[in-house]
Amino acid sequence: MTKAGILLLTLFTAATTASTYAADKRYPLYSVEKIEIVDPSSRSAWEDKNFLDCSDVILTEEDVRHALKHMRRISKKSYFSEDTERTGCSGGASVTFRNGKIIVIGIEPTGRINTFEANAKLEPTAVPGSFYDCDPCRKRKMALLKDALNRADERRLKKLEAEGAIPHGEAERRLKILRADRDQP
């Protein structure tokens, strides 16, 4: 195979791999006119403060742009699967596109995303909602939340130590190990 053939094959493979997390073409990022954060942080019954306190999870406009760029559509069954990682935290935003289309998007730090098309009053239209997964979003958000995860570990371990479930001084030792593990790439 020639060098040109190898180069073309490499470019084709890269393009195919990149499209694995290509955005939904119905909601192109270049067509976004306005993003409004409706609910920067909310919690559900799934919230586990031992893992992550939802008050530490704040949805930003940059998070929404990142999601629109990388989210990939999944089935409703996959979205609600018992095997799906959840934190119980999410944020919501409305996105207005140049063509007048409005979507409401809910984003969790785990990369679970749901959307529905809405009217100007942010009420759902007849178009059914869609469900997405965004692994690049999860990696990005969880990296940003590393400090919050460290604080949650500290709360959990100090509580166990106070209850006598672990020996005195053990919380600090375990916390150092957890933080070192989290800091590794």
Side-chain angles (χ1 to χ4, degrees), residues 36-178:
E36 182 179 341
I37 304 298
V38 178
D39 188 7
S41 179
S42 66
R43 56 186 43 91
S44 71
W46 291 98
E47 181 188 27
D48 180 1
K49 286 190 179 188
N50 287 329
F51 175 65
L52 183 65
D53 188 339
C54 290
S55 60
D56 292 326
V57 182
I58 305 296
L59 182 68
T60 66
E61 187 175 320
E62 184 59 34
D63 294 331
V64 176
R65 289 185 183 285
H66 193 76
L68 288 171
K69 184 176 179 182
H70 296 286
M71 65 188 192
R72 76 176 165 85
R73 199 166 185 176
I74 59 173
S75 69
K76 184 176 183 177
K77 183 178 179 180
S78 294
Y79 184 84
F80 289 108
S81 168
E82 289 184 21
D83 297 328
T84 304
E85 182 182 15
R86 296 176 176 87
T87 61
C89 306
S90 66
S94 68
V95 181
T96 306
F97 295 90
R98 289 187 190 120
N99 65 3
K101 186 184 292 188
I102 299 172
I103 63 167
V104 174
I105 185 169
I107 303 174
E108 297 181 23
T110 57
R112 286 171 29 110
I113 300 170
N114 63 353
T115 67
F116 64 86
E117 292 188 18
N119 61 24
K121 295 180 182 177
L122 299 184
E123 298 166 339
T125 62
V127 178
S130 299
F131 303 96
Y132 299 88
D133 177 56
C134 181
D135 191 52
C137 300
R138 180 188 61 77
K139 289 176 181 168
R140 176 181 176 274
K141 196 64 174 178
M142 295 310 258
L144 292 172
L145 292 171
K146 191 186 312 185
D147 188 48
L149 293 169
N150 286 338
R151 287 193 306 273
D153 287 340
E154 185 173 4
R155 280 192 303 272
R156 181 177 48 81
L157 290 169
K158 297 282 183 177
K159 181 179 175 186
L160 288 173
E161 193 175 76
E163 293 171 347
I166 59 175
H168 181 70
E170 183 67 12
E172 194 62 38
R173 188 187 73 74
R174 289 184 185 183
L175 188 58
K176 285 179 184 177
I177 292 169
L178 286 168

